Amino acid sequence: MKKLINAPEAVLAEALVGIAAAHPELNVDHVNRIIYRGSPTREGKVALISGGGSGHEPLHGGFVGLGMLDAACAGEIFTSPTPDQMQEATRVADSGAGVLHIVKNYTGDVMNFEMAAELAEAETGVKVASIVINDDVAVEDSTWTAGRRGVGLTVLLEKIVGAAAEEGRDLEAVTALAHRVNDNGRSMGMALTSCTVPSAGKPTFDLPDDMMEIGVGIHGEPGRHRVALAPAASIAQQLVDPILADLDFTQGPVIAMVNGMGGSPLIELYLMYGEVARLLETAGVNVARSLVGNYITSLDMAGCSVTLLRVDDELLGLWDAPVNTSGLRWGV
Amino acid sequence: MKKLINAPEAVLAEALVGIAAAHPELNVDHVNRIIYRGSPTREGKVALISGGGSGHEPLHGGFVGLGMLDAACAGEIFTSPTPDQMQEATRVADSGAGVLHIVKNYTGDVMNFEMAAELAEAETGVKVASIVINDDVAVEDSTWTAGRRGVGLTVLLEKIVGAAAEEGRDLEAVTALAHRVNDNGRSMGMALTSCTVPSAGKPTFDLPDDMMEIGVGIHGEPGRHRVALAPAASIAQQLVDPILADLDFTQGPVIAMVNGMGGSPLIELYLMYGEVARLLETAGVNVARSLVGNYITSLDMAGCSVTLLRVDDELLGLWDAPVNTSGLRWGV
């Protein structure tokens, strides 16, 4: 295993030290492993909290800031944060307007965020709502999930719902919007190589040199099938077709993301985006906005995912609204 | 070779198609392989042009936009663009105030930019100045370079000098500033793994599982030495020590960058930044600004580089000035 680390068990703690050093605009709670905005949530603003296993950076800590999250709880690599972490983040971030928990659909995350919500409501009277994201069309049920997994749509949802909270919408409205985004987005990913979790010390799965995994999960969970390595045009089709088969994206504008899994160079992601854009045009899908890069990664996995989200003028306006995080920044 | 491509010889052309699709705010000349800002250079503004072999994305195309470059010429992967490309970019980007060529010190780039400058001056009367960046402390002379190589400082220089050009400084002042930045910046990189150039189809160099290359170039050129794999703290020291030995960084604030080579996940880059920040603090170096992420990459190489730049209030102000590119964006 070749990694820029000191010891497998210290990766998260030491990465948080680096994040704190690089981002004086954030507050890092090293004991509870929570990343907050530098200033408290504005009174009357709904707080948005997310979190999950680490190893998907910039998600979620890189999306804390104006226009997106108020706090992110970092679990060990590919391991859910604890209810204690989430409860603490909820308590600190609440400004009296309530807190939305943004949860990717993995069994551990869902269970722990539910428990945290109950504890926070019982002990400190915070109003908590939650959204469980399940945009991955690849598989129903998986290694760590009942139902569909939550993947790339999380990035888009945190941006759009974050803008709505910044506008001052109340908890009910923000939660309804989160459900609307989740209902209108779909994703599908693929891997050319496995990732290597530091504590495991070896690749999560074996993938022969001439094969790829279509529908892979962001922790290397199995996808739909393992197929022969193919050109980018074919890979794009194998990702876009299942998405378009699952939801009609031809009735209005969409936001399209080609996301890197962490180990694929940007030049390849742009090449993939060219293929995806061509397929969408042929299918009569109108791309209003796009995002290409590493936004929700799987450590050093080579590969990519495609996310499509149906939008209207309201959602586009929220997408375009100012955002000031290390992972996404515009308009400020 | 596992890559998100169709054919090795088509990678650049097809990536440019994806860049054009993803960035309607840019103009992509697919024939000459030049990325321009969407609107012509403002009259009286010095135009900044850079370019080089592809495979280092987001450099340079990802730095075209308000506050940085006016145009970027894309060569084949790890291959200099031609004088024709550079001449065309110079001709198109010039608004009458002259053009600065920002050149990384590689023999092909330097020769071709020189030829392009002569042709542009002779044929269209454009005033051209140039800066050759040579910040890499690792080695004197290398596979493709006489003298020191130009590496990570290029990112910082394009940002700072871009802000000065945006302010309306003339060609002489902009060029003098570029030399000042180059004189005050130093870099050093390392590789855990080789990269694989698509047309070669196999790793550029062999590196045993228990070894790393200290001082590696951004095309996989040999560095200072090959040593045993070490913890991040030791890697940081092996990068920071030669930089601090080469120039005194203790007399004022610095901008510090930990840059990923393309295949290393962001969580590791932050961990490395924590180590670098600690070493700098111990050495009495005052970090005023930092940048952590993939900015000048080497395809899928795993590894990182460290860049330090001595700054004063003027340079810090130019660093903080608005920039609106896909690779760096703030203040807009």
Side-chain angles (χ1 to χ4, degrees), chain A residues 2 4-6 18 22-23 192 208 211 232-233 268 270 275 290 329 331-332, chain B residues 2 4-6 18 22-23 192 208 211 232-233 268 270 275 290 329 331-332:
Chain A
K2 296 183 119 174
L4 302 166
I5 64 174
N6 289 307
H23 298 290
L192 292 172
M211 303 289 279
E268 296 180 26
Y270 273 116
E275 298 294 344
S290 65
R329 185 186 290 119
V332 289
Chain B
K2 297 184 117 174
L4 302 166
I5 65 174
N6 290 306
H23 298 292
L192 292 171
M211 303 290 278
E268 296 180 27
Y270 273 116
E275 298 294 343
S290 65
R329 185 184 291 119
V332 289

PDB file of all heavy atoms in Angstrom, chain A residues 2 4-6 18 22-23 192 208 211 232-233 268 270 275 290 329 331-332, chain B residues 2 4-6 18 22-23 192 208 211 232-233 268 270 275 290 329 331-332:
ATOM      1  N   LYS A   2       0.702   2.099  -1.007  1.00  0.00           N
ATOM      2  CA  LYS A   2       1.492   3.327  -1.093  1.00  0.00           C
ATOM      3  C   LYS A   2       0.576   4.516  -0.868  1.00  0.00           C
ATOM      4  O   LYS A   2      -0.255   4.844  -1.722  1.00  0.00           O
ATOM      5  CB  LYS A   2       2.165   3.415  -2.457  1.00  0.00           C
ATOM      6  CG  LYS A   2       3.178   2.300  -2.699  1.00  0.00           C
ATOM      7  CD  LYS A   2       3.873   2.467  -4.024  1.00  0.00           C
ATOM      8  CE  LYS A   2       5.361   2.640  -3.796  1.00  0.00           C
ATOM      9  NZ  LYS A   2       6.119   2.667  -5.076  1.00  0.00           N
ATOM     10  N   LEU A   4       0.152   8.594   1.194  1.00  0.00           N
ATOM     11  CA  LEU A   4       0.742   9.730   1.911  1.00  0.00           C
ATOM     12  C   LEU A   4       0.131   9.790   3.307  1.00  0.00           C
ATOM     13  O   LEU A   4      -0.683  10.658   3.616  1.00  0.00           O
ATOM     14  CB  LEU A   4       0.476  11.036   1.152  1.00  0.00           C
ATOM     15  CG  LEU A   4       1.003  11.095  -0.289  1.00  0.00           C
ATOM     16  CD1 LEU A   4       0.387  12.270  -1.041  1.00  0.00           C
ATOM     17  CD2 LEU A   4       2.527  11.177  -0.294  1.00  0.00           C
ATOM     18  N   ILE A   5       0.501   8.829   4.149  1.00  0.00           N
ATOM     19  CA  ILE A   5      -0.049   8.762   5.500  1.00  0.00           C
ATOM     20  C   ILE A   5       1.071   8.401   6.478  1.00  0.00           C
ATOM     21  O   ILE A   5       2.163   8.009   6.059  1.00  0.00           O
ATOM     22  CB  ILE A   5      -1.176   7.717   5.624  1.00  0.00           C
ATOM     23  CG1 ILE A   5      -0.635   6.299   5.370  1.00  0.00           C
ATOM     24  CG2 ILE A   5      -2.298   8.034   4.639  1.00  0.00           C
ATOM     25  CD1 ILE A   5      -1.657   5.191   5.613  1.00  0.00           C
ATOM     26  N   ASN A   6       0.776   8.552   7.762  1.00  0.00           N
ATOM     27  CA  ASN A   6       1.733   8.108   8.773  1.00  0.00           C
ATOM     28  C   ASN A   6       1.379   6.717   9.277  1.00  0.00           C
ATOM     29  O   ASN A   6       2.205   5.830   9.290  1.00  0.00           O
ATOM     30  CB  ASN A   6       1.770   9.106   9.929  1.00  0.00           C
ATOM     31  CG  ASN A   6       2.432  10.406   9.522  1.00  0.00           C
ATOM     32  OD1 ASN A   6       3.554  10.415   9.013  1.00  0.00           O
ATOM     33  ND2 ASN A   6       1.733  11.514   9.694  1.00  0.00           N
ATOM     34  N   GLY A  18      -4.781  18.942   9.036  1.00  0.00           N
ATOM     35  CA  GLY A  18      -4.433  19.642   7.799  1.00  0.00           C
ATOM     36  C   GLY A  18      -5.560  20.528   7.305  1.00  0.00           C
ATOM     37  O   GLY A  18      -5.327  21.648   6.831  1.00  0.00           O
ATOM     38  N   ALA A  22      -5.307  24.497   6.765  1.00  0.00           N
ATOM     39  CA  ALA A  22      -5.508  25.066   5.425  1.00  0.00           C
ATOM     40  C   ALA A  22      -6.725  25.978   5.355  1.00  0.00           C
ATOM     41  O   ALA A  22      -6.822  26.805   4.447  1.00  0.00           O
ATOM     42  CB  ALA A  22      -5.651  23.934   4.400  1.00  0.00           C
ATOM     43  N   HIS A  23      -7.655  25.815   6.280  1.00  0.00           N
ATOM     44  CA  HIS A  23      -8.920  26.552   6.201  1.00  0.00           C
ATOM     45  C   HIS A  23      -9.244  27.267   7.513  1.00  0.00           C
ATOM     46  O   HIS A  23     -10.111  26.828   8.277  1.00  0.00           O
ATOM     47  CB  HIS A  23     -10.064  25.605   5.799  1.00  0.00           C
ATOM     48  CG  HIS A  23      -9.858  25.011   4.453  1.00  0.00           C
ATOM     49  ND1 HIS A  23      -9.940  25.763   3.301  1.00  0.00           N
ATOM     50  CD2 HIS A  23      -9.550  23.760   4.057  1.00  0.00           C
ATOM     51  CE1 HIS A  23      -9.688  24.991   2.258  1.00  0.00           C
ATOM     52  NE2 HIS A  23      -9.446  23.769   2.679  1.00  0.00           N
ATOM     53  N   LEU A 192     -12.598   1.510 -12.686  1.00  0.00           N
ATOM     54  CA  LEU A 192     -11.547   0.844 -13.456  1.00  0.00           C
ATOM     55  C   LEU A 192     -10.644   0.043 -12.528  1.00  0.00           C
ATOM     56  O   LEU A 192     -10.057  -0.958 -12.922  1.00  0.00           O
ATOM     57  CB  LEU A 192     -10.692   1.880 -14.186  1.00  0.00           C
ATOM     58  CG  LEU A 192     -11.346   2.662 -15.323  1.00  0.00           C
ATOM     59  CD1 LEU A 192     -10.419   3.779 -15.785  1.00  0.00           C
ATOM     60  CD2 LEU A 192     -11.686   1.732 -16.479  1.00  0.00           C
ATOM     61  N   PRO A 208      -9.626  -7.711 -12.622  1.00  0.00           N
ATOM     62  CA  PRO A 208      -8.572  -8.028 -13.607  1.00  0.00           C
ATOM     63  C   PRO A 208      -8.266  -6.830 -14.510  1.00  0.00           C
ATOM     64  O   PRO A 208      -9.093  -5.936 -14.670  1.00  0.00           O
ATOM     65  CB  PRO A 208      -9.189  -9.179 -14.415  1.00  0.00           C
ATOM     66  CG  PRO A 208     -10.248  -9.765 -13.541  1.00  0.00           C
ATOM     67  CD  PRO A 208     -10.761  -8.628 -12.703  1.00  0.00           C
ATOM     68  N   MET A 211     -10.912  -5.827 -17.095  1.00  0.00           N
ATOM     69  CA  MET A 211     -12.312  -5.750 -16.676  1.00  0.00           C
ATOM     70  C   MET A 211     -12.592  -4.431 -15.950  1.00  0.00           C
ATOM     71  O   MET A 211     -11.697  -3.785 -15.421  1.00  0.00           O
ATOM     72  CB  MET A 211     -12.646  -6.899 -15.714  1.00  0.00           C
ATOM     73  CG  MET A 211     -12.389  -8.290 -16.258  1.00  0.00           C
ATOM     74  SD  MET A 211     -13.570  -8.754 -17.557  1.00  0.00           S
ATOM     75  CE  MET A 211     -14.969  -9.260 -16.543  1.00  0.00           C
ATOM     76  N   ALA A 232     -14.246   4.912 -23.727  1.00  0.00           N
ATOM     77  CA  ALA A 232     -15.009   5.899 -22.956  1.00  0.00           C
ATOM     78  C   ALA A 232     -16.431   6.058 -23.489  1.00  0.00           C
ATOM     79  O   ALA A 232     -17.379   6.224 -22.704  1.00  0.00           O
ATOM     80  CB  ALA A 232     -14.282   7.243 -22.976  1.00  0.00           C
ATOM     81  N   ALA A 233     -16.589   6.005 -24.794  1.00  0.00           N
ATOM     82  CA  ALA A 233     -17.927   6.181 -25.380  1.00  0.00           C
ATOM     83  C   ALA A 233     -18.865   5.079 -24.891  1.00  0.00           C
ATOM     84  O   ALA A 233     -20.033   5.331 -24.568  1.00  0.00           O
ATOM     85  CB  ALA A 233     -17.847   6.172 -26.905  1.00  0.00           C
ATOM     86  N   GLU A 268      -9.231  12.902 -18.257  1.00  0.00           N
ATOM     87  CA  GLU A 268     -10.140  11.796 -18.582  1.00  0.00           C
ATOM     88  C   GLU A 268     -11.576  12.131 -18.209  1.00  0.00           C
ATOM     89  O   GLU A 268     -12.523  11.732 -18.891  1.00  0.00           O
ATOM     90  CB  GLU A 268      -9.693  10.508 -17.871  1.00  0.00           C
ATOM     91  CG  GLU A 268      -8.339  10.009 -18.334  1.00  0.00           C
ATOM     92  CD  GLU A 268      -7.905   8.726 -17.623  1.00  0.00           C
ATOM     93  OE1 GLU A 268      -8.769   7.953 -17.162  1.00  0.00           O
ATOM     94  OE2 GLU A 268      -6.678   8.504 -17.517  1.00  0.00           O
ATOM     95  N   TYR A 270     -12.936  15.099 -18.264  1.00  0.00           N
ATOM     96  CA  TYR A 270     -13.472  15.987 -19.309  1.00  0.00           C
ATOM     97  C   TYR A 270     -13.804  15.200 -20.571  1.00  0.00           C
ATOM     98  O   TYR A 270     -14.820  15.444 -21.223  1.00  0.00           O
ATOM     99  CB  TYR A 270     -12.488  17.117 -19.618  1.00  0.00           C
ATOM    100  CG  TYR A 270     -12.676  18.301 -18.696  1.00  0.00           C
ATOM    101  CD1 TYR A 270     -11.682  18.692 -17.818  1.00  0.00           C
ATOM    102  CD2 TYR A 270     -13.863  19.026 -18.699  1.00  0.00           C
ATOM    103  CE1 TYR A 270     -11.856  19.777 -16.967  1.00  0.00           C
ATOM    104  CE2 TYR A 270     -14.050  20.108 -17.848  1.00  0.00           C
ATOM    105  CZ  TYR A 270     -13.048  20.480 -16.992  1.00  0.00           C
ATOM    106  OH  TYR A 270     -13.235  21.547 -16.155  1.00  0.00           O
ATOM    107  N   GLU A 275     -18.384  12.750 -23.872  1.00  0.00           N
ATOM    108  CA  GLU A 275     -19.182  11.593 -24.301  1.00  0.00           C
ATOM    109  C   GLU A 275     -20.588  11.642 -23.700  1.00  0.00           C
ATOM    110  O   GLU A 275     -21.584  11.368 -24.370  1.00  0.00           O
ATOM    111  CB  GLU A 275     -18.492  10.287 -23.881  1.00  0.00           C
ATOM    112  CG  GLU A 275     -17.124  10.062 -24.499  1.00  0.00           C
ATOM    113  CD  GLU A 275     -17.191   9.854 -26.008  1.00  0.00           C
ATOM    114  OE1 GLU A 275     -18.286   9.582 -26.542  1.00  0.00           O
ATOM    115  OE2 GLU A 275     -16.133   9.990 -26.659  1.00  0.00           O
ATOM    116  N   SER A 290     -23.430  22.212 -15.693  1.00  0.00           N
ATOM    117  CA  SER A 290     -22.637  20.991 -15.565  1.00  0.00           C
ATOM    118  C   SER A 290     -21.551  21.166 -14.517  1.00  0.00           C
ATOM    119  O   SER A 290     -21.220  22.290 -14.124  1.00  0.00           O
ATOM    120  CB  SER A 290     -22.002  20.632 -16.908  1.00  0.00           C
ATOM    121  OG  SER A 290     -21.073  21.632 -17.273  1.00  0.00           O
ATOM    122  N   ARG A 329     -17.234  26.810  -5.135  1.00  0.00           N
ATOM    123  CA  ARG A 329     -17.227  28.235  -4.808  1.00  0.00           C
ATOM    124  C   ARG A 329     -17.573  29.041  -6.043  1.00  0.00           C
ATOM    125  O   ARG A 329     -16.942  28.880  -7.085  1.00  0.00           O
ATOM    126  CB  ARG A 329     -15.855  28.658  -4.280  1.00  0.00           C
ATOM    127  CG  ARG A 329     -15.832  30.113  -3.802  1.00  0.00           C
ATOM    128  CD  ARG A 329     -14.443  30.566  -3.406  1.00  0.00           C
ATOM    129  NE  ARG A 329     -13.966  29.949  -2.184  1.00  0.00           N
ATOM    130  CZ  ARG A 329     -12.895  29.192  -2.070  1.00  0.00           C
ATOM    131  NH1 ARG A 329     -12.174  28.931  -3.132  1.00  0.00           N
ATOM    132  NH2 ARG A 329     -12.535  28.689  -0.914  1.00  0.00           N
ATOM    133  N   GLY A 331     -19.822  33.045  -7.079  1.00  0.00           N
ATOM    134  CA  GLY A 331     -20.739  34.126  -6.708  1.00  0.00           C
ATOM    135  C   GLY A 331     -20.326  34.879  -5.456  1.00  0.00           C
ATOM    136  O   GLY A 331     -21.064  35.739  -4.992  1.00  0.00           O
ATOM    137  N   VAL A 332     -19.164  34.566  -4.909  1.00  0.00           N
ATOM    138  CA  VAL A 332     -18.690  35.281  -3.707  1.00  0.00           C
ATOM    139  C   VAL A 332     -17.208  35.606  -3.858  1.00  0.00           C
ATOM    140  O   VAL A 332     -16.491  34.924  -4.549  1.00  0.00           O
ATOM    141  CB  VAL A 332     -18.867  34.460  -2.416  1.00  0.00           C
ATOM    142  CG1 VAL A 332     -20.324  34.354  -2.060  1.00  0.00           C
ATOM    143  CG2 VAL A 332     -18.233  33.084  -2.565  1.00  0.00           C
TER     144      VAL A 332
ATOM    145  N   LYS B   2      -5.544   1.096 -17.866  1.00  0.00           N
ATOM    146  CA  LYS B   2      -6.972   1.306 -17.624  1.00  0.00           C
ATOM    147  C   LYS B   2      -7.253   2.796 -17.565  1.00  0.00           C
ATOM    148  O   LYS B   2      -6.879   3.468 -16.603  1.00  0.00           O
ATOM    149  CB  LYS B   2      -7.382   0.636 -16.318  1.00  0.00           C
ATOM    150  CG  LYS B   2      -7.210  -0.878 -16.343  1.00  0.00           C
ATOM    151  CD  LYS B   2      -7.710  -1.515 -15.071  1.00  0.00           C
ATOM    152  CE  LYS B   2      -8.877  -2.438 -15.362  1.00  0.00           C
ATOM    153  NZ  LYS B   2      -9.313  -3.194 -14.172  1.00  0.00           N
ATOM    154  N   LEU B   4     -10.115   6.140 -18.875  1.00  0.00           N
ATOM    155  CA  LEU B   4     -11.397   6.568 -19.424  1.00  0.00           C
ATOM    156  C   LEU B   4     -11.132   7.297 -20.740  1.00  0.00           C
ATOM    157  O   LEU B   4     -11.263   8.515 -20.832  1.00  0.00           O
ATOM    158  CB  LEU B   4     -12.116   7.486 -18.435  1.00  0.00           C
ATOM    159  CG  LEU B   4     -12.391   6.889 -17.048  1.00  0.00           C
ATOM    160  CD1 LEU B   4     -12.779   7.978 -16.060  1.00  0.00           C
ATOM    161  CD2 LEU B   4     -13.488   5.837 -17.139  1.00  0.00           C
ATOM    162  N   ILE B   5     -10.734   6.533 -21.755  1.00  0.00           N
ATOM    163  CA  ILE B   5     -10.423   7.126 -23.055  1.00  0.00           C
ATOM    164  C   ILE B   5     -10.982   6.236 -24.156  1.00  0.00           C
ATOM    165  O   ILE B   5     -11.385   5.093 -23.896  1.00  0.00           O
ATOM    166  CB  ILE B   5      -8.900   7.291 -23.262  1.00  0.00           C
ATOM    167  CG1 ILE B   5      -8.207   5.919 -23.306  1.00  0.00           C
ATOM    168  CG2 ILE B   5      -8.294   8.153 -22.161  1.00  0.00           C
ATOM    169  CD1 ILE B   5      -6.724   5.995 -23.651  1.00  0.00           C
ATOM    170  N   ASN B   6     -11.007   6.768 -25.368  1.00  0.00           N
ATOM    171  CA  ASN B   6     -11.400   5.949 -26.517  1.00  0.00           C
ATOM    172  C   ASN B   6     -10.180   5.379 -27.221  1.00  0.00           C
ATOM    173  O   ASN B   6     -10.098   4.186 -27.453  1.00  0.00           O
ATOM    174  CB  ASN B   6     -12.238   6.781 -27.492  1.00  0.00           C
ATOM    175  CG  ASN B   6     -13.606   7.088 -26.913  1.00  0.00           C
ATOM    176  OD1 ASN B   6     -14.335   6.181 -26.512  1.00  0.00           O
ATOM    177  ND2 ASN B   6     -13.958   8.365 -26.840  1.00  0.00           N
ATOM    178  N   GLY B  18     -14.965  17.895 -24.427  1.00  0.00           N
ATOM    179  CA  GLY B  18     -15.620  17.888 -23.120  1.00  0.00           C
ATOM    180  C   GLY B  18     -15.470  19.216 -22.391  1.00  0.00           C
ATOM    181  O   GLY B  18     -16.417  19.701 -21.758  1.00  0.00           O
ATOM    182  N   ALA B  22     -18.514  21.548 -21.189  1.00  0.00           N
ATOM    183  CA  ALA B  22     -18.701  21.837 -19.764  1.00  0.00           C
ATOM    184  C   ALA B  22     -18.552  23.317 -19.447  1.00  0.00           C
ATOM    185  O   ALA B  22     -19.044  23.775 -18.416  1.00  0.00           O
ATOM    186  CB  ALA B  22     -17.694  21.031 -18.935  1.00  0.00           C
ATOM    187  N   HIS B  23     -17.874  24.057 -20.314  1.00  0.00           N
ATOM    188  CA  HIS B  23     -17.557  25.455 -20.015  1.00  0.00           C
ATOM    189  C   HIS B  23     -17.962  26.382 -21.150  1.00  0.00           C
ATOM    190  O   HIS B  23     -17.109  26.852 -21.915  1.00  0.00           O
ATOM    191  CB  HIS B  23     -16.063  25.596 -19.697  1.00  0.00           C
ATOM    192  CG  HIS B  23     -15.646  24.829 -18.488  1.00  0.00           C
ATOM    193  ND1 HIS B  23     -16.071  25.177 -17.216  1.00  0.00           N
ATOM    194  CD2 HIS B  23     -14.911  23.713 -18.336  1.00  0.00           C
ATOM    195  CE1 HIS B  23     -15.571  24.304 -16.337  1.00  0.00           C
ATOM    196  NE2 HIS B  23     -14.871  23.409 -16.989  1.00  0.00           N
ATOM    197  N   LEU B 192       4.754   8.445  -5.484  1.00  0.00           N
ATOM    198  CA  LEU B 192       4.593   7.098  -4.927  1.00  0.00           C
ATOM    199  C   LEU B 192       4.509   6.073  -6.050  1.00  0.00           C
ATOM    200  O   LEU B 192       4.874   4.916  -5.885  1.00  0.00           O
ATOM    201  CB  LEU B 192       3.310   7.029  -4.096  1.00  0.00           C
ATOM    202  CG  LEU B 192       3.272   7.834  -2.795  1.00  0.00           C
ATOM    203  CD1 LEU B 192       1.861   7.818  -2.215  1.00  0.00           C
ATOM    204  CD2 LEU B 192       4.267   7.258  -1.788  1.00  0.00           C
ATOM    205  N   PRO B 208       9.517   0.205  -7.359  1.00  0.00           N
ATOM    206  CA  PRO B 208       9.125  -0.942  -6.531  1.00  0.00           C
ATOM    207  C   PRO B 208       8.103  -0.543  -5.460  1.00  0.00           C
ATOM    208  O   PRO B 208       8.018   0.628  -5.082  1.00  0.00           O
ATOM    209  CB  PRO B 208      10.450  -1.378  -5.884  1.00  0.00           C
ATOM    210  CG  PRO B 208      11.516  -0.833  -6.768  1.00  0.00           C
ATOM    211  CD  PRO B 208      10.968   0.429  -7.351  1.00  0.00           C
ATOM    212  N   MET B 211       9.335   1.626  -2.546  1.00  0.00           N
ATOM    213  CA  MET B 211      10.183   2.777  -2.845  1.00  0.00           C
ATOM    214  C   MET B 211       9.348   3.973  -3.312  1.00  0.00           C
ATOM    215  O   MET B 211       8.224   3.820  -3.781  1.00  0.00           O
ATOM    216  CB  MET B 211      11.181   2.434  -3.965  1.00  0.00           C
ATOM    217  CG  MET B 211      12.078   1.246  -3.690  1.00  0.00           C
ATOM    218  SD  MET B 211      13.305   1.570  -2.396  1.00  0.00           S
ATOM    219  CE  MET B 211      14.561   2.423  -3.384  1.00  0.00           C
ATOM    220  N   ALA B 232       4.203   9.999   6.072  1.00  0.00           N
ATOM    221  CA  ALA B 232       3.944  11.337   5.543  1.00  0.00           C
ATOM    222  C   ALA B 232       4.826  12.392   6.197  1.00  0.00           C
ATOM    223  O   ALA B 232       5.291  13.329   5.536  1.00  0.00           O
ATOM    224  CB  ALA B 232       2.468  11.686   5.732  1.00  0.00           C
ATOM    225  N   ALA B 233       5.071  12.262   7.489  1.00  0.00           N
ATOM    226  CA  ALA B 233       5.891  13.256   8.188  1.00  0.00           C
ATOM    227  C   ALA B 233       7.292  13.306   7.593  1.00  0.00           C
ATOM    228  O   ALA B 233       7.873  14.380   7.410  1.00  0.00           O
ATOM    229  CB  ALA B 233       5.963  12.921   9.681  1.00  0.00           C
ATOM    230  N   GLU B 268      -5.457  12.501   1.698  1.00  0.00           N
ATOM    231  CA  GLU B 268      -4.008  12.385   1.893  1.00  0.00           C
ATOM    232  C   GLU B 268      -3.314  13.730   1.695  1.00  0.00           C
ATOM    233  O   GLU B 268      -2.332  14.036   2.376  1.00  0.00           O
ATOM    234  CB  GLU B 268      -3.417  11.340   0.941  1.00  0.00           C
ATOM    235  CG  GLU B 268      -3.929   9.934   1.210  1.00  0.00           C
ATOM    236  CD  GLU B 268      -3.346   8.889   0.253  1.00  0.00           C
ATOM    237  OE1 GLU B 268      -2.230   9.086  -0.256  1.00  0.00           O
ATOM    238  OE2 GLU B 268      -4.025   7.879   0.001  1.00  0.00           O
ATOM    239  N   TYR B 270      -4.566  16.666   2.360  1.00  0.00           N
ATOM    240  CA  TYR B 270      -4.776  17.461   3.575  1.00  0.00           C
ATOM    241  C   TYR B 270      -3.874  16.972   4.704  1.00  0.00           C
ATOM    242  O   TYR B 270      -3.326  17.767   5.468  1.00  0.00           O
ATOM    243  CB  TYR B 270      -6.248  17.429   3.996  1.00  0.00           C
ATOM    244  CG  TYR B 270      -7.055  18.511   3.308  1.00  0.00           C
ATOM    245  CD1 TYR B 270      -8.087  18.197   2.434  1.00  0.00           C
ATOM    246  CD2 TYR B 270      -6.778  19.856   3.532  1.00  0.00           C
ATOM    247  CE1 TYR B 270      -8.829  19.187   1.787  1.00  0.00           C
ATOM    248  CE2 TYR B 270      -7.505  20.851   2.904  1.00  0.00           C
ATOM    249  CZ  TYR B 270      -8.527  20.508   2.040  1.00  0.00           C
ATOM    250  OH  TYR B 270      -9.242  21.504   1.418  1.00  0.00           O
ATOM    251  N   GLU B 275       1.259  18.151   7.874  1.00  0.00           N
ATOM    252  CA  GLU B 275       2.679  17.907   8.158  1.00  0.00           C
ATOM    253  C   GLU B 275       3.541  19.074   7.691  1.00  0.00           C
ATOM    254  O   GLU B 275       4.460  19.515   8.393  1.00  0.00           O
ATOM    255  CB  GLU B 275       3.149  16.614   7.467  1.00  0.00           C
ATOM    256  CG  GLU B 275       2.437  15.346   7.937  1.00  0.00           C
ATOM    257  CD  GLU B 275       2.749  15.014   9.396  1.00  0.00           C
ATOM    258  OE1 GLU B 275       3.729  15.542   9.949  1.00  0.00           O
ATOM    259  OE2 GLU B 275       1.991  14.224   9.994  1.00  0.00           O
ATOM    260  N   SER B 290      -2.906  29.487   1.845  1.00  0.00           N
ATOM    261  CA  SER B 290      -2.551  28.122   1.450  1.00  0.00           C
ATOM    262  C   SER B 290      -3.491  27.620   0.367  1.00  0.00           C
ATOM    263  O   SER B 290      -4.574  28.170   0.154  1.00  0.00           O
ATOM    264  CB  SER B 290      -2.616  27.196   2.660  1.00  0.00           C
ATOM    265  OG  SER B 290      -3.953  27.108   3.120  1.00  0.00           O
ATOM    266  N   ARG B 329     -11.255  29.763  -8.214  1.00  0.00           N
ATOM    267  CA  ARG B 329     -12.325  30.765  -8.287  1.00  0.00           C
ATOM    268  C   ARG B 329     -12.597  31.328  -6.906  1.00  0.00           C
ATOM    269  O   ARG B 329     -12.826  30.595  -5.957  1.00  0.00           O
ATOM    270  CB  ARG B 329     -13.605  30.122  -8.833  1.00  0.00           C
ATOM    271  CG  ARG B 329     -14.729  31.148  -9.044  1.00  0.00           C
ATOM    272  CD  ARG B 329     -16.021  30.501  -9.483  1.00  0.00           C
ATOM    273  NE  ARG B 329     -15.975  29.965 -10.821  1.00  0.00           N
ATOM    274  CZ  ARG B 329     -16.159  28.682 -11.144  1.00  0.00           C
ATOM    275  NH1 ARG B 329     -16.375  27.799 -10.205  1.00  0.00           N
ATOM    276  NH2 ARG B 329     -16.108  28.293 -12.392  1.00  0.00           N
ATOM    277  N   GLY B 331     -13.943  35.434  -5.027  1.00  0.00           N
ATOM    278  CA  GLY B 331     -14.148  36.871  -5.141  1.00  0.00           C
ATOM    279  C   GLY B 331     -15.079  37.283  -6.267  1.00  0.00           C
ATOM    280  O   GLY B 331     -15.256  38.474  -6.521  1.00  0.00           O
ATOM    281  N   VAL B 332     -15.670  36.319  -6.956  1.00  0.00           N
ATOM    282  CA  VAL B 332     -16.609  36.639  -8.047  1.00  0.00           C
ATOM    283  C   VAL B 332     -17.818  35.721  -7.964  1.00  0.00           C
ATOM    284  O   VAL B 332     -17.733  34.622  -7.449  1.00  0.00           O
ATOM    285  CB  VAL B 332     -15.970  36.450  -9.443  1.00  0.00           C
ATOM    286  CG1 VAL B 332     -14.959  37.524  -9.697  1.00  0.00           C
ATOM    287  CG2 VAL B 332     -15.355  35.075  -9.568  1.00  0.00           C
TER     288      VAL B 332
END
